[in-house]
Structure formats: structure tokens, C-alpha cells
Amino acid sequence: AYEIKECDRSSDVCSSDLFAQAFPARDGGHIPASPAALLGLIAHSAMRRVVEDVDRASGPSDPDEAWQASVTEAQADLARQAGTGPGDSIQNLSGYETMKARFRFASMRLTCLIREAGSLIEPLMTEQQLESLDRVFYGAVDLLLRRQHGSWLVDYKTGTLLDADESPRPQYRIQLLIYAHLEHETTGSWPTRAVLFPFKGKPVDVAVEPAECSALVGRAREAMARYNSRVPGQQPSSPGESVCRFCSQAARCDDFWEACDPSWGETLRAVEGVVVGVHAARLGSVLEVSVDNGTESAGLMQIRWDEPTGEAGGLPPVESRVRCVGLQPSVLAGSAGLRVRPWARVFWKDTAG
């Protein structure tokens, strides 16, 4: 499905990734690209549970119960999508306790915001799909409050909301303004309030200017027309550390591998090379890879493979050329190495024979 918010991110956009999002390779969701992304999805799900309880007039639910229900659901989804057993507990992820504490506090603040909105003309709407009249574009706003005197849009953010100058990140603001345009097309009225709601820090109101909203949608339509003019051909890529960090197509993108280098290693670890050995380990397997490209130094490297992964599942065979993106540091037999986790992106080509 094509999401309008991915169409208008100025420099932080890659058409190759847009192509994959427009035509997903498989159904049933996707494996989050990082521990932070997974915890963000859990926090959104738990907040939906809290809001639904408020809407049922049963009062706010216990945040800890909502959180645990979402964790259990995510653990099962992660195992299903990776095609494995339960795997590592989500509770062991870095940042787990921090995100849980932020969610607990944010859920109380959101309940206050809902009460501030007063009486509604429609039930609370969570993860509400909004479509343009021609059904070309759509988006899903986290919380929609339709009031007698104008709707309120609320979009949650579990990561960093503000730039260094204390203004909201441009892509978040653009996303919310496009939601405002879609709400106008749906109801005929412009929202009177649009809120970026962080799990850390204070909510930020974004002014809804109809002319600006319409101009953004016009730019998005132009971008989509350029995109469609190239289908089914290769979309031009624009690789960069921030762009490629969570891209689902990075492992198979030649432009990514031409651009990435050790300077990217602070936030993104990626290696490309030939598998020279595969060994059983107590928990999973260990690959020996002769690395010749990526963010790590060339040479022989051990990569711990916790679970079957990759596009075809299983392990890449000896002599295959493998690409791994989104790896984590690991210690193997006393030596530094890397580790493939469920959110890593992996692609390989069997070159034997």
C-alpha cells in the first residue's frame, strides 16, 4: 500500500524504498527494522488499548496491563514473521524499561488531552484511515477526535520529536498537515487542532493552514506521478546514512553498497562478503564471512546467526555472497563480531558452481 507520508520527505526519501512499500513482497506486516522500532510499535499498540477503554466509558485501563498485552502480541507476531520459535524475550531489548516508563506517563497525559476535547460527535477513532476523495492517497492518524467545533488530530511519536532548534522535525509536521488535508476531504471541514504527541516531552501543536496543506498534497501528487512513470523499472535511489538506516531494501540495493563506508558505523552496521564457513553454536549458528564491503573493516569476520532469517529463510550456504544490514555488535569466542537479529535485513546469492 502506498502511504502519502512516505511521498513527501524531501531529502529523506528513497524511491527504491517507496517502490517496495507500494508493492510489498509479502503479507502479514513486517519485522521492525530495529529494537527501537519494535518498542515503538508496542507503545502505539498499548496506547490504542488505553484509548479504547476510555471510549467505552470504563475509565482508563491499567497502563501496565495494556503494555503487557501489546508485548505478548508483538512477541507472537515477531516469531510468526521470522518463521521461528519464541526467540529472545522482548523484555531483554535495550531501552525496554525506558519505553515502558515513558508509555505509562504518556498514557496519563493522553487521557487528560481527551478529556480536554470535551464532548464528541463520533466515538474516539484510533489508527483511523483517512483517504483522499479519489482514493489515491491515504494515511492513518493515531487518534482522531471529531468534535462539534472541529476535529482534533493526534499523532504519537516515540522517538525524538524536536530538531536541535527545538522545532518539530519537518517530516512529522508535513505528515500531520497531510492528515489534516485528508480529514478536510472526508468531512468538508478543516481540523481546528493538530498535535504531535511525544512519549517523552510536551505535546506540540502544529498550525493547520489550508493553503499549505493543499500545496503539500499537490507536491505529493507530482512525486507520485514521477514514481509511477518509472514503474516497473528501477526507481532512482538516494542513499544516505539516515535514509538507509531503516530501509527494508538496503540489503539488495546496489547503490547502498556503493555509498556505505566505515563512517556510517556509528548508527548502521552493514557487511557484504563471501561465506567461507558455517558452524553450529549453542544458540543458533556462526557464519565466517570474508568481508570486502560495508561499514566494517575488510577481512574475516564471525557473524552470530540467532534465528533463520533472510528472504528465503534458513542460512546462506558456503561460497554464497551475503549482504547483512542492521547488525549488532557481539562477542564470539572472546573476539569481536556481529550478530544477526530478527530486524536485520539480509540478502544472499548462491555463487557456488
Side-chain angles (χ1 to χ4, degrees):
Y2 184 88
E3 293 189 23
I4 187 69
K5 68 180 182 181
E6 296 294 342
C7 184
D8 204 339
R9 290 168 58 186
S10 59
S11 61
D12 288 338
V13 67
C14 178
S15 295
S16 295
D17 194 31
L18 285 178
F19 183 86
Q21 293 182 52
F23 304 99
R26 60 181 177 181
D27 296 327
H30 65 282
I31 295 174
S34 70
L38 175 57
L39 292 173
L41 290 175
I42 291 171
H44 276 70
S45 173
M47 194 66 85
R48 173 180 52 80
R49 287 181 159 89
V50 169
V51 171
E52 288 174 350
D53 278 351
V54 172
D55 194 37
R56 285 193 290 265
S58 58
S61 63
D62 182 341
D64 289 337
E65 290 182 3
W67 176 265
Q68 188 55 51
S70 295
V71 168
T72 301
E73 180 181 70
Q75 189 81 64
D77 286 346
L78 190 63
R80 174 179 56 80
Q81 293 169 20
T84 71
D88 288 349
S89 172
I90 288 176
Q91 282 91 333
N92 294 332
L93 290 177
S94 174
Y96 175 87
E97 292 297 337
T98 299
M99 182 63 77
K100 181 179 179 181
R102 289 177 179 173
F103 160 75
R104 185 184 294 115
F105 181 62
S107 67
M108 292 186 290
R109 288 190 289 113
L110 185 64
T111 300
C112 293
L113 181 66
I114 292 172
R115 289 172 176 163
E116 180 187 344
S119 60
L120 306 178
I121 59 175
E122 296 185 33
L124 289 169
M125 301 180 190
T126 60
E127 300 174 6
Q128 179 63 30
Q129 290 282 344
L130 299 171
E131 281 190 331
S132 58
L133 292 176
D134 56 10
R135 306 191 70 181
V136 172
F137 301 121
Y138 72 89
V141 65
D142 290 320
L143 178 61
L144 175 58
L145 307 171
R146 285 193 175 139
R147 306 160 60 251
Q148 184 68 44
H149 301 292
S151 300
W152 286 10
L153 306 176
V154 183
D155 211 46
Y156 314 145
K157 298 301 174 188
T158 56
T160 302
L161 173 62
L162 303 178
D163 279 334
D165 61 358
E166 297 299 311
S167 62
R169 290 187 169 182
Q171 62 266 36
Y172 295 159
R173 181 175 175 276
I174 289 171
Q175 178 184 359
L176 201 52
L177 292 180
I178 291 178
Y179 288 162
H181 179 92
L182 296 178
E183 171 68 0
H184 173 257
E185 289 207 350
T186 300
T187 65
S189 300
W190 288 97
T192 56
R193 190 177 184 186
V195 183
L196 291 170
F197 189 89
F199 280 46
K200 177 185 179 182
K202 298 179 179 179
V204 175
D205 280 76
V206 174
V208 177
E209 299 291 344
E212 182 183 10
C213 296
S214 298
L216 287 172
V217 171
R219 288 168 51 196
R221 289 183 180 278
E222 292 172 0
M224 185 177 181
R226 292 194 298 271
Y227 173 89
N228 286 336
S229 70
R230 301 184 182 105
V231 173
Q234 176 67 38
Q235 298 289 325
S237 62
S238 52
E241 188 174 357
S242 63
V243 178
C244 300
R245 185 180 178 190
F246 300 121
C247 175
S248 62
Q249 298 301 298
R252 59 165 51 249
C253 177
D254 292 338
D255 291 338
F256 166 82
W257 293 103
E258 290 181 8
C260 76
D261 59 44
S263 69
W264 293 20
E266 289 296 319
T267 58
L268 173 67
R269 292 182 180 270
V271 298
E272 178 180 15
V274 176
V275 178
V276 298
V278 180
H279 310 288
R282 187 172 64 88
L283 295 173
S285 303
V286 174
L287 271 63
E288 290 185 342
V289 178
S290 178
V291 175
D292 54 39
N293 192 17
T295 63
E296 311 304 304
S297 301
L300 193 64
M301 174 169 287
Q302 292 187 324
I303 299 178
R304 177 176 169 181
W305 203 279
D306 291 344
E307 303 170 346
T309 186
E311 297 181 1
L315 289 164
V318 172
E319 297 187 32
S320 64
R321 187 161 187 82
V322 65
R323 293 172 166 182
C324 304
V325 182
L327 301 172
Q328 286 189 320
S330 182
V331 177
L332 300 168
S335 301
L338 295 173
R339 186 178 186 183
V340 172
R341 302 301 298 273
W343 46 81
R345 286 132 287 161
V346 179
F347 173 72
W348 68 80
K349 180 182 293 185
D350 190 350
T351 59

